[in-house]
Structure formats: C-alpha cells, structure tokens
Amino acid sequence: QFQLVESGGGMVQTGGSLRLSCAASGRNISVYTMGWFRRAPGKEREFVAVISWSGTSTLYTDSVKDRFTVSKDNAKNTVYLEMNSLKPDDTAVYYCACHRASHYYTANQYDFGSWGQGTQVTVTS
C-alpha cells in the first residue's frame, strides 16, 4: 500500500521558517515526480512546488520563489519543503502528492494521484 505522510507543520511568526517532510512508503519516489500543494482558508488547493522524478528539475509558484526549496532524499524515500521568510498568506494545509505515472514531470495537480493527509502551517503576525 502506497502512503504519504506529511509532518513538520506548526505555528510560526512572520519571517520564521519551517521544514516540512513527506515520508513515502510502498513506492519508490525515485521514479515519480513529487509535488507540494496547499489549501488556504476559503481558497482552492493550489500548486506550491514540484520536483521531478530525477531530482534534476524543480518548479515553484511565483509567490514562494526564493523563499521555499523542495528537495528529496531517495535513500530515505522522503520529500522536503524548506520554507523561509514565512508570511501570513502562507497559512494553509500543505499536502504532499505523488504523480500518477512514473517518469513523468508536470505541475498540474490533476496529474497527481496519491495524496497525504496534509499538515497545518499557520503564520501569525
């Protein structure tokens, strides 16, 4: 059974940092593109960041560029999202997701078929 479990969320003040982790089991993420998405209160789920199955390509939504960094450790089968200079607008539930097909690279959330339960990130003023 393939599972994704996010962790590392919490409450932080504006300007602070958090590192989210997504531990995968039941599937080797080295052959799957992995993504991070978030859903803020009253808003639809949106794309945040993606890392290709090869680990050689990353993509970020404009609002988090130069503040967030996505990475992965194949040996640990874990994907990370380092979040710096956090803002109140970053407050959301953050979800880790796995692409539907191996060796494919897109940032379309509908191409991601497996999702974690999410971890709450709250940024206060």
Side-chain angles (χ1 to χ4, degrees):
Q1 182 179 359
F2 180 50
Q3 287 187 311
L4 298 171
V5 181
E6 301 97 334
S7 62
M11 184 176 293
V12 64
Q13 293 184 349
T14 297
S17 299
L18 287 172
R19 190 193 193 198
L20 306 183
S21 298
C22 173
S25 61
R27 186 183 297 179
N28 186 355
I29 67 168
S30 68
V31 298
Y32 286 92
T33 290
M34 303 294 293
W36 286 96
F37 301 80
R38 67 186 181 187
R39 186 173 184 176
K43 299 177 65 177
E44 296 183 352
R45 187 169 61 194
E46 66 175 346
F47 164 76
V48 176
V50 67
I51 183 167
S52 66
W53 61 269
S54 65
T56 59
S57 298
T58 58
L59 186 66
Y60 302 88
T61 192
D62 286 344
S63 63
V64 308
K65 285 182 179 177
D66 301 319
R67 298 191 299 118
F68 290 12
T69 302
V70 62
S71 62
K72 66 174 182 175
D73 186 335
N74 288 337
K76 297 181 179 179
N77 219 33
T78 300
V79 183
Y80 304 96
L81 184 67
E82 180 73 32
M83 305 185 296
N84 300 310
S85 301
L86 284 162
K87 307 173 182 178
D89 284 348
D90 295 318
T91 294
V93 177
Y94 284 72
Y95 299 91
C96 174
C98 180
H99 211 276
R100 294 184 184 274
S102 65
H103 303 95
Y104 272 67
Y105 177 52
T106 74
N108 186 341
Q109 67 174 298
Y110 296 104
D111 289 332
F112 292 80
S114 300
W115 298 79
Q117 295 300 306
T119 185
Q120 176 71 49
V121 172
T122 302
V123 185
T124 66
S125 300

